[in-house]
Amino acid sequence: GAVVSQHPSWVICKSGTSVKIECRSLDFQATTMFWYRQFPKQSLMLMATSNEGSKATYEQGVEKDKFLINHASLTLSTLTVTSAHPEDSSFYICSASAAGGTLGEQYFGPGTRLTVT
Amino acid sequence: AQSVTQLGSHVSVSEGALVLLRCNYSSSVPPYLFWYVQYPNQGLQLLLKYTSAATLVKGINDFEAEFKKSETSFHLTKPSAHMSDAAEYFCAVWTSGTYKYIFGTGTRLKVLA
């Protein structure tokens, strides 16, 4: 149980275009979803937290107009990287916490590798 | 504010040897602590968690960790390393104050044949 999927797993886009990444909780309702960014050989940095039906809360230094997060249902959150540039190339990982689950525990998706050329 | 320090960005052990990955935390409120493992190009898999119950926590694949409040530590151990344990390991702290994880910088475990 507690499976989180991400789509696509790998995407290449041209500079200036937008890319949407989906994060789905497959077998539970996710009250809160989190988006992380991970550069090579580095730790995960939280970008934003989103609750279903509410605006996302962005971490300091994360451009909310560039990284659009939508959490329209209890099983789906999307991250759209707008006007992508090569410096946005990274590994993006989402996670979700379950309604009624262990406090603090998050379930992680497999990640999406974004390469901007 | 919370923080997590993982001592040793790289750790090498021989197959069959003890694995010890260190994690120290700082938190002004009682923390929940987690260890995750990440294989290349994959997400994070939970190994074990401390949520204020038993201080010695057992996880998957024979990993365990002990919460020591006096030392503000939550070190991860495994009695006998296996080749398949080679991966990146992350310690994370969570508190009800922020409702989010703070991750350590990670420790890459290498298992030597």
Side-chain angles (χ1 to χ4, degrees):
Chain A
V3 177
V4 175
S5 70
Q6 281 185 243
H7 179 79
S9 57
W10 182 66
V11 58
I12 299 176
C13 71
K14 292 187 176 181
S15 187
T17 62
S18 295
V19 174
K20 179 183 284 188
I21 302 170
E22 292 186 350
C23 176
R24 293 181 184 273
S25 57
L26 299 185
D27 51 2
F28 66 98
Q29 293 187 325
T31 50
T32 306
M33 287 184 164
F34 306 83
W35 286 95
Y36 296 86
R37 185 172 180 177
Q38 185 180 32
F39 289 107
K41 302 186 188 301
Q42 294 188 26
S43 189
L44 282 74
M45 298 300 296
L46 180 65
M47 299 174 66
T49 302
S50 71
N51 293 294
E52 184 262 340
S54 302
K55 287 184 178 180
T57 300
Y58 291 81
E59 294 299 299
Q60 192 171 11
V62 177
E63 299 175 60
K64 61 182 180 181
D65 294 330
K66 180 169 187 61
F67 298 100
L68 301 179
I69 291 172
N70 183 280
H71 191 166
S73 76
L74 284 173
T75 59
L76 173 65
S77 176
T78 59
L79 167 67
T80 301
V81 183
T82 63
S83 186
H85 291 285
E87 57 265 31
D88 298 324
S89 298
S90 190
F91 194 52
Y92 292 88
I93 303 175
C94 73
S95 71
S97 57
T102 300
L103 196 60
E105 186 167 353
Q106 297 178 20
Y107 304 99
F108 286 82
T112 296
R113 173 80 56 196
L114 170 63
T115 301
V116 184
T117 61
Chain B
Q2 308 104 278
S3 66
V4 176
T5 301
Q6 290 184 240
L7 292 175
S9 58
H10 292 81
V11 171
S12 294
V13 299
S14 297
E15 190 174 20
L18 172 72
V19 176
L20 170 61
L21 305 182
R22 300 179 186 274
C23 173
N24 288 88
Y25 70 92
S26 173
S27 177
S28 57
V29 297
Y32 286 10
L33 295 160
F34 301 80
W35 273 101
Y36 285 90
V37 61
Q38 184 181 35
Y39 296 97
N41 295 310
Q42 295 187 28
L44 275 65
Q45 179 184 5
L46 179 67
L47 285 176
L48 47 79
K49 59 191 175 188
Y50 166 76
T51 57
S52 76
T55 56
L56 181 61
V57 181
K58 294 187 183 298
I60 63 171
N61 300 335
D62 294 327
F63 282 98
E64 65 178 40
E66 186 171 8
F67 173 71
K68 292 187 176 180
K69 185 177 179 181
S70 61
E71 299 177 9
T72 60
S73 69
F74 190 58
H75 301 330
L76 181 70
T77 61
K78 180 173 179 175
S80 176
H82 192 273
M83 297 298 287
S84 61
D85 294 327
E88 187 86 20
Y89 291 79
F90 292 98
C91 180
V93 62
W94 181 95
T95 70
S96 58
T98 61
Y99 291 93
K100 59 186 181 184
Y101 282 162
I102 301 296
F103 282 94
T105 50
T107 297
R108 184 167 298 275
L109 176 66
K110 187 175 182 179
V111 181
L112 307 172

